[in-house]
Amino acid sequence: MSSLRTHDDTWDIATSVGSTAVMVAAARASETTSADPLIRDPYAQMLVAGAGTGVWEMLLDETLVDKVAAIDAEIAGVYHHMRNYQAVRTHFFDAFFADATAAGIRQVVILASGLDSRAYRLDWPAGTTVYEIDQPKVLAYKEQTLATNGVTPVAERRTVAIDLRQDWPAALTAAGFDPAVPTAWLAEGLLMYLPAEGQDRLFDQITALSAPGSRIAAETAGKHGSDERRQQMAERFKKITEMVGMTQSLDIQDLIYQDDDRAPVRGWLDEHGWQATSQPSTAEMRRLNRWVDVSMTDDEDAFSEFVTAVRG
């Protein structure tokens, strides 16, 4: 169970769960400027630069990994592995949307969209509508930042400013969503921030809104490693952030619900009218030659799966 979460907590882009969106965008920005990028997000850097989270903005510094390596080579490897993971995850779900639109789907919903820039950067077919659901302050920050920089969405973008623990289906429908037509849903970087019953409720709601032919993609929540290892790694990260002058950030593990009763996503979908497949993120990283072998990677259960499914 998370130590910092409550049933009615809220956040902006610089606090709590909201700040994790900045971390992910920083990884996309770093990948985009790398020598051989797996994905390209030209807007990630501008979204990170003004977020005010401190530590994640420093990830834009290309010399950071070298500075960390001089202090703790293994932790530098962990940073590299984490960045690669985010690139692989983004690549996988970008391909999911390309396949969905190629199949004729023109209605898209991104749940807990954070600083996701797909409405602005993907090559959406004409007539595509992208709905983004997230906390009001998070959506406002992204929209204002990109508008200030003259960036406009490629698809028709509609925002639904609501917490997923509230009646988001009603708010989504009020924004123009049509449950009678097929939809492509994305739950990326989300499920680990929900308790088990919240995850089940979310998929129940998605299923009720999904016409035949709808598709869904989700990143599962990895299992919690040992408390001893987590504490050791946290202490080493803390030492490094102090030595390189980073502002100390939240421990993301404190935001995550470690719930042993969480239903396997693929199994749940198969039992509720979907036909699901899954790809271990570890296998996808190896397939794309992005695996970094460090001590944290010896526990395969700690890593997520990428699940996709089609509604029958």
Side-chain angles (χ1 to χ4, degrees):
M1 182 64 71
S2 167
S3 63
L4 295 182
R5 303 295 308 285
T6 63
H7 74 281
D8 58 353
D9 54 336
T10 61
W11 49 84
D12 58 20
I13 201 61
T15 60
S16 187
V17 177
S19 68
T20 67
V22 185
M23 175 194 69
V24 174
R28 295 200 308 270
S30 183
E31 178 68 20
T32 298
T33 58
S34 66
D36 185 23
L38 187 61
I39 57 99
R40 289 180 172 83
D41 185 344
Y43 312 120
Q45 183 166 349
M46 68 180 67
L47 288 167
V48 174
T53 59
V55 62
W56 304 131
E57 285 92 324
M58 289 195 70
L59 293 179
L60 300 177
D61 179 359
E62 289 300 315
T63 68
L64 177 63
V65 173
D66 291 336
K67 293 176 183 176
V68 173
I71 303 167
D72 189 326
E74 184 181 18
I75 294 298
V78 172
Y79 273 120
H80 186 47
H81 190 280
M82 290 168 60
R83 188 183 80 174
N84 281 0
Y85 173 81
Q86 297 295 340
V88 168
R89 183 180 81 170
T90 300
H91 180 270
F92 184 92
F93 293 126
D94 282 358
F96 163 77
F97 280 129
D99 290 344
T101 55
I105 292 177
R106 297 293 181 266
Q107 184 167 253
V108 171
V109 179
I110 301 176
L111 301 155
S113 58
L115 296 183
D116 187 302
S117 64
R118 289 184 175 95
Y120 297 84
R121 66 177 179 82
L122 292 188
D123 186 19
W124 298 104
T128 302
T129 301
V130 178
Y131 294 89
E132 295 187 14
I133 305 177
D134 211 321
Q135 298 246 358
K137 291 180 180 179
V138 174
L139 290 173
Y141 169 78
K142 176 167 61 178
E143 189 164 334
Q144 291 166 6
T145 300
L146 294 178
T148 298
N149 285 276
V151 180
T152 57
V154 177
E156 181 179 353
R157 175 176 175 266
R158 299 184 186 180
T159 59
V160 183
I162 191 170
D163 192 298
L164 287 170
R165 293 166 293 189
Q166 300 170 351
D167 190 3
W168 64 267
L172 178 63
T173 303
F177 175 86
D178 185 356
V181 302
T183 303
W185 302 86
L186 177 61
E188 177 187 29
L190 165 60
L191 300 184
M192 65 282 291
Y193 302 113
L194 297 175
E197 67 272 16
Q199 176 178 303
D200 290 347
R201 182 169 59 253
L202 179 74
F203 284 125
D204 275 331
Q205 292 166 317
I206 291 170
T207 300
L209 292 169
S210 294
S214 293
R215 301 186 178 200
I216 188 170
E219 174 194 20
T220 68
K223 294 182 179 179
H224 180 46
S226 73
D227 290 338
E228 181 180 2
R229 172 175 290 189
R230 175 188 163 188
Q231 182 62 33
Q232 289 173 350
M233 296 298 286
E235 290 173 357
R236 290 168 69 180
F237 272 103
K238 183 176 186 294
K239 177 183 176 181
I240 288 171
T241 58
E242 291 172 349
M243 293 184 71
V244 301
M246 287 182 173
T247 302
Q248 182 62 34
S249 65
L250 286 171
D251 183 345
I252 293 176
Q253 293 295 324
D254 287 334
L255 304 175
I256 293 172
Y257 285 93
Q258 306 289 353
D259 200 327
D260 293 336
D261 295 327
R262 190 183 299 276
V265 174
R266 178 178 177 178
W268 191 100
L269 291 169
D270 279 337
E271 293 171 3
H272 291 81
W274 300 80
Q275 291 81 51
T277 59
S278 61
Q279 170 75 332
S281 61
T282 52
E284 188 69 359
M285 291 183 74
R286 291 185 173 101
R287 185 183 74 83
L288 294 170
N289 296 316
R290 289 306 185 100
W291 183 258
V292 178
D293 196 10
V294 291
S295 63
M296 65 167 284
T297 64
D298 59 9
D299 182 5
E300 295 268 333
D301 287 343
F303 290 87
S304 65
E305 292 184 333
F306 303 146
V307 179
T308 59
V310 178
R311 179 86 163 124

